[in-house]
Amino acid sequence: MSAADSTTISLPETPKKFDWKRLTFMLLGMGLFVFVYYCPPWPDAIDPMGEHFVLSQQAKGALAVFLLAATWWVFEVVPIGVTSLTIGVLQALFMIRDPKVAFKDFMDPSVLFIFGSIVIGMVFTKTGLTRRIAYKMLSIVGEKTSMIMLGCFIMTAALTHVMAHTAVAATMFPLLMAIHALYSDEEKPSKFGKGLFIGMAYVAGAGSIITLLGAARGAVALGFYKDITNVDIGFFELTTYMFPIGWLMTFLLWGFFMLVCKPERKVIHGLKERSRNMYAELGKWRRNEILTVVIVVATILIIALKNFFPAFSGLHKTGILLCSTIAFFLFNILDVNDLEDIPWNIILLFAGAMSIGFCLWETGAAKWLAVNWLILFENSPPIIFILGMAFFVMMMTNFIMNVAAIAISLPVALVVAPYLGVAGEVILFSALVVSGMPFLLLVGAAPNAIAYNSNMFTTGEFFLYGIPASILLMLVTWLAVTVIWPLMGMAVFVPKVI
């Protein structure tokens, strides 16, 4: 070999283009934080009973952190998990809350519930259950992409009737990945992929409002409502009123995504036959598949029984779910290497969301916002008041826990409602409808963040699709209040209290 042959020719690296957009939104988030935190004191919020709610320096700091985090999350200034870490750091450095409290929220039971749900999704993929379910479903629904998407949405919504929507999303995620792999050989995002994954997240929320098993928010809100009004609303009464709304949203969302994310291909020719053949190639059910099904079904059953049998009521759902995680390792279905595949960026996202949610709640910032907003509607027509309250809950649910959003708005709304001739029940049900469907930010619900892990869309795209979807949700809420629920016998309007 000659000297010329052995010489390595180094080509000059192409300089990376400076990301001015990233810098702009990074500085915008910081600027909003500094402006709000150091701004002079803001006026008190005064509720209809004359009670004053002071916005303390800590509460103002909570709003400042909230604005920075929202800006960075939407525009992905840094990885979404890193923005979550920033939430804890700012609370500690600016003495908004005690660091022990701020960072303890990062391991809240709700965060660990999401962790356990994601592990179930991983196990479905590793054992091959995902492919088995995907091939069977595709052999039934056929080759039209519209029917494939509808089939996925119906399965998602139906599962949320009996299990938590977080667990449903984690279970559906690998299934949708397998379906998209059959749709396109390329890993890059497709319109079909965007509609499939974002739609799954939205529909998981729509289905979860129907029964108390879909999410914790329902049971907590009903208990909270009973404490305030001494009116007890049962499992089946909730399901009766929520069933038409949840399923109406499911089918409307399917139509919405078929319009805004119209698949590049109308038909996947030969998919039905190929799915049947691939299912046959999987052969008989294996040990790990059977064990996984037994563990998951037992977990879901015990969590569901909590709502009906007092003997199970003391068991925390997160503890029950994490028992399944432990069982997967005890039976060697998972091993230590699988821990590296867990999307910690998503776990951190929700850890930060819990921290900022508790921060807004505990400092009184959320209450201050709720009172100021709802007082705007105290002299409005009844329907405007109901929709105004629902809009507030919908927006707040995108940033803080949906239970907290309901808890801060219901007391004020229920005080104003009798003077406008509005029944308390319709206030509760409309709040439960919108609190289940936060369509704007990933932190609004765990299915949103799980869907993001597909890499089919950006946080900005999710936000943009969420705007018309949220408008659609408000229209359905209006339809429920004015037409559907009155036809079903719900008393929406009552005589005014003078």
Side-chain angles (χ1 to χ4, degrees):
M1 182 182 291
S2 65
D5 293 333
S6 63
T7 302
T8 301
I9 300 174
S10 299
L11 297 175
E13 291 185 6
T14 304
K16 291 184 178 179
K17 187 177 179 181
F18 189 79
D19 194 342
W20 287 103
K21 181 181 176 182
R22 176 176 176 271
L23 178 63
T24 299
F25 289 112
M26 182 190 301
L27 294 176
L28 176 61
M30 293 177 178
L32 288 171
F33 174 85
V34 171
F35 173 77
V36 173
Y37 186 80
Y38 290 106
C39 200
W42 293 353
D44 298 354
I46 306 173
D47 72 5
M49 306 300 292
E51 185 178 353
H52 286 246
F53 294 88
V54 180
L55 189 70
S56 65
Q57 182 60 35
Q58 288 74 23
K60 201 142 60 69
L63 291 176
V65 174
F66 164 71
L67 290 172
L68 180 143
T71 303
W72 284 15
W73 270 328
V74 170
F75 296 102
E76 291 186 277
V77 169
V78 291
I80 53 180
V82 176
T83 297
S84 293
L85 290 175
T86 307
I87 289 170
V89 169
L90 289 175
Q91 290 180 65
L93 294 182
F94 286 84
M95 295 175 286
I96 297 169
R97 282 199 303 164
D98 188 303
K100 288 183 180 179
V101 177
F103 287 110
K104 185 178 70 174
D105 296 338
F106 277 66
M107 290 300 286
D108 185 83
S110 297
V111 178
L112 291 175
F113 187 88
I114 292 167
F115 169 83
S117 299
I118 289 174
V119 170
I120 288 177
M122 289 175 54
V123 172
F124 269 62
T125 301
K126 184 173 182 178
T127 59
L129 275 171
T130 293
R131 287 180 296 159
R132 194 177 288 278
I133 297 170
Y135 299 155
K136 176 60 72 175
M137 192 193 85
L138 290 172
S139 65
I140 295 172
V141 299
E143 302 177 346
K144 290 185 178 181
T145 49
S146 60
M147 291 298 100
I148 293 171
M149 188 178 289
L150 179 60
C152 291
F153 286 7
I154 289 175
M155 183 184 293
T156 300
L159 285 173
T160 59
H161 295 0
V162 294
M163 59 191 288
H165 71 329
T166 301
V168 171
T171 304
M172 289 296 298
F173 177 82
L175 173 65
L176 300 189
M177 290 295 286
I179 289 172
H180 190 266
L182 293 172
Y183 174 81
S184 174
D185 295 331
E186 300 179 9
E187 293 184 2
K188 66 179 183 179
S190 66
K191 287 184 178 179
F192 178 70
K194 290 181 196 294
L196 200 61
F197 285 95
I198 300 177
M200 178 274 290
Y202 287 4
V203 167
S208 73
I209 70 171
I210 295 173
T211 74
L212 292 177
L213 305 179
R217 85 183 83 85
V220 174
L222 293 188
F224 187 71
Y225 181 74
K226 184 179 180 181
D227 290 340
I228 296 175
T229 64
N230 202 31
V231 175
D232 192 8
I233 295 175
F235 181 96
F236 294 106
E237 184 180 354
L238 172 86
T239 300
T240 300
Y241 286 122
M242 290 298 194
F243 187 89
I245 312 305
W247 279 103
L248 175 61
M249 278 300 300
T250 297
F251 287 107
L252 287 176
L253 286 169
W254 169 66
F256 172 76
F257 282 106
M258 285 303 299
L259 181 65
V260 300
C261 294
K262 188 176 181 180
E264 294 87 347
R265 301 162 64 185
K266 289 185 178 181
V267 178
I268 308 175
H269 295 289
L271 179 63
K272 195 167 185 176
E273 186 63 31
R274 189 162 30 133
S275 298
R276 286 174 181 164
N277 294 336
M278 294 173 85
Y279 184 86
E281 289 173 5
L282 292 175
K284 295 181 180 180
W285 283 62
R286 294 178 288 274
R287 167 192 173 273
N288 282 357
E289 289 178 294
I290 296 170
L291 272 174
T292 298
V293 170
V294 170
I295 292 169
V296 171
V297 169
T299 301
I300 294 168
L301 188 61
I302 295 171
I303 292 176
L305 290 175
K306 276 172 49 64
N307 293 278
F308 302 101
F309 296 97
F312 291 95
S313 60
L315 301 176
H316 196 283
K317 67 171 186 175
T318 299
I320 298 169
L321 190 69
L322 289 179
C323 283
S324 69
T325 302
I326 296 168
F328 293 141
F329 285 92
L330 286 176
F331 289 104
N332 289 322
I333 299 172
L334 295 178
D335 56 46
V336 68
N337 295 322
D338 293 307
L339 290 174
E340 297 178 5
D341 296 328
I342 292 174
W344 295 106
N345 192 39
I346 302 302
I347 304 297
L348 278 174
L349 168 68
F350 264 89
M354 293 303 297
S355 187
I356 187 59
F358 280 121
C359 185
L360 288 165
W361 171 266
E362 292 173 4
T363 59
K367 189 73 174 180
W368 183 87
L369 286 172
V371 173
N372 272 322
W373 174 258
L374 291 175
I375 290 303
L376 295 175
F377 301 97
E378 63 178 337
N379 296 315
S380 302
I383 187 63
I384 299 299
F385 172 74
I386 296 169
L387 294 178
M389 184 280 306
F391 180 79
F392 175 81
V393 173
M394 181 184 73
M395 295 305 296
M396 290 304 294
T397 301
N398 280 281
F399 301 99
I400 66 175
M401 299 166 294
N402 41 44
V403 171
I406 292 173
I408 62 177
S409 57
L410 267 187
V412 182
L414 290 174
V415 168
V416 178
Y419 296 96
L420 297 177
V422 174
E425 200 173 68
V426 75
I427 295 290
L428 171 68
F429 279 105
S430 56
L432 281 173
V433 166
V434 295
S435 67
M437 290 176 264
F439 294 155
L440 296 172
L441 294 181
L442 299 182
V443 295
N448 299 355
I450 291 170
Y452 173 78
N453 204 42
S454 65
N455 295 320
M456 288 290 162
F457 57 90
T458 65
T459 55
E461 286 176 322
F462 189 88
F463 181 81
L464 290 176
Y465 286 128
I467 294 173
S470 295
I471 294 171
L472 180 65
L473 174 59
M474 288 302 300
L475 289 173
V476 169
T477 305
W478 169 79
L479 185 66
V481 172
T482 58
V483 179
I484 298 174
W485 289 337
L487 288 175
M488 296 177 71
M490 182 188 291
V492 174
F493 303 110
V494 295
K496 293 182 181 180
V497 174
I498 301 174

